[in-house]
Amino acid sequence: MSMDYDLFMQEIITTARAEMENAGYEQLRTPEDVEKAFARPGTTLVMINSVCGCAGGIARPAAASAIHYDKRPDHLVTVFAGQDKEATAAARAHFGDEHIPSSPAFVLLKDGKVVADIGRHEIEGHDVMSVITNLQANFEEYCDEV
């Protein structure tokens, strides 16, 4: 039995995108999408998605669950590292030199400025609840009550 690798990867990518969209995140697929989203006033949670196991097993479930909280970002967006390369590069350029490019990752913006960052090193090897707790601590500090 052989499986076409490209078909297999497309299924994984489609599933990963759908998980984020179903959780309420807007897909940013072009640099123009990124610029428009990052110019919005208020708070924006950016999830840098990927096909790795820690994205599927930890980061995406945390992204979906963390937003069920009294305080949460005004906007939820995602870029897909390795897939929407130009959009991801535009987002990372906006995050500045202090942001270590990694995926999966989360960046919280307030009025377009980075206020919090959760890198892969704070996701991989951790459980979903610890990532949710970390995200919600940032929501508590920077977001308004819904």
Side-chain angles (χ1 to χ4, degrees):
M1 173 165 140
S2 72
M3 178 180 274
D4 183 295
Y5 178 77
D6 290 333
L7 286 175
F8 174 70
M9 287 307 297
Q10 268 317 117
E11 185 174 324
I12 289 173
I13 293 162
T14 299
T15 300
R17 287 188 192 279
E19 286 177 11
M20 295 307 297
E21 286 179 349
N22 291 339
Y25 287 74
E26 172 190 359
Q27 298 279 338
L28 306 180
R29 300 188 78 166
T30 67
E32 295 78 21
D33 292 344
V34 170
E35 292 310 313
K36 280 189 243 175
F38 288 12
R40 294 178 191 144
T43 51
T44 301
L45 179 63
V46 184
M47 193 275 190
I48 297 91
N49 201 354
S50 78
V51 296
C52 73
C54 62
I58 302 168
R60 287 194 299 272
S65 296
I67 59 175
H68 301 285
Y69 189 68
D70 291 340
K71 292 184 177 183
R72 63 176 179 248
D74 301 309
H75 312 285
L76 304 170
V77 300
T78 182
V79 294
F80 207 130
Q83 303 305 310
D84 301 324
K85 294 176 184 177
E86 292 176 352
T88 304
R92 287 178 171 156
H94 185 83
F95 300 152
D97 294 336
E98 291 185 24
H99 172 77
I100 299 170
S102 66
S103 58
F106 295 93
V107 176
L108 185 62
L109 307 174
K110 185 162 188 160
D111 297 325
K113 306 277 188 256
V114 174
V115 293
D117 187 334
I118 298 172
R120 180 184 178 111
H121 67 282
E122 296 176 273
I123 298 168
E124 185 177 36
H126 294 79
D127 61 67
V128 175
M129 278 310 300
S130 67
V131 177
I132 290 170
T133 300
N134 198 352
L135 284 166
Q136 289 177 342
N138 289 320
F139 299 169
E140 187 66 34
E141 185 170 350
Y142 298 106
C143 299
D144 293 327
E145 199 162 321
V146 181

